[in-house]
Amino acid sequence: MTKTKTRALTDMRPAMWTALLLIAVLLLTACNGRRSERVAFDGQFFRANASKVDRRQREQFEVTVSPVSASLDGAREAGRYEAIRYCIQEYGSSDIEWAEGPDAEDGTLRISNDRLLLRGTCTPA
């Protein structure tokens, strides 16, 4: 290699390292941004999912929350939160008529395979 080619490669190294560092920082902040949107209930994070029960009647929904073993009270509140998000997204209202809601007695809640199941109907404003 000639001296000019070697000097050109040496001059590019700081720029290359800076670019790699910038990419790494951007990737880390992108991942952290998603985590910061998560909400903890009773000090725990839960996986909660709301879905319509029937495609013709999207106001009727069910929510599954897991793991219930982390905290029953937290799972209840995570389910309530997910149900409210669903109803606001679908109807612009947080009003819910619960068929099997988070305020039910402990023995009457539907829990199976460490998952809590809640059911309700969004009541549009």
Side-chain angles (χ1 to χ4, degrees):
M1 267 184 155
T2 62
K3 286 185 179 183
T4 54
K5 286 184 180 177
T6 306
R7 183 174 292 175
L9 288 174
T10 307
D11 290 342
M12 283 181 47
R13 282 188 185 157
M16 230 169 41
W17 282 109
T18 304
L20 286 174
L21 183 62
L22 181 60
I23 290 170
V25 168
L26 288 173
L27 287 173
L28 286 173
T29 47
C31 293
N32 193 25
R34 290 185 192 130
R35 283 187 178 262
S36 66
E37 293 175 10
R38 294 181 65 194
V39 179
F41 297 92
D42 198 23
Q44 304 292 324
F45 291 104
F46 295 89
R47 289 179 303 279
N49 183 34
S51 60
K52 58 188 170 199
V53 175
D54 182 355
R55 64 183 161 134
R56 289 173 282 144
Q57 296 177 318
R58 64 180 186 168
E59 69 274 1
Q60 294 179 3
F61 65 89
E62 64 182 25
V63 176
T64 57
V65 183
S66 64
V68 177
S69 59
S71 165
L72 179 58
D73 290 335
R76 288 175 191 247
E77 293 311 310
R80 182 188 321 268
Y81 178 84
E82 192 65 25
I84 289 170
R85 284 186 56 198
Y86 175 83
C87 289
I88 288 173
Q89 182 180 353
E90 294 294 321
Y91 294 100
S93 171
S94 62
D95 295 333
I96 298 172
E97 184 178 313
W98 291 103
E100 298 175 60
D103 296 325
E105 297 286 325
D106 287 354
T108 62
L109 290 170
R110 284 186 31 191
I111 299 172
S112 176
N113 295 328
D114 206 22
R115 287 189 296 180
L116 172 65
L117 176 69
L118 304 173
R119 296 178 68 119
T121 304
C122 301
T123 53

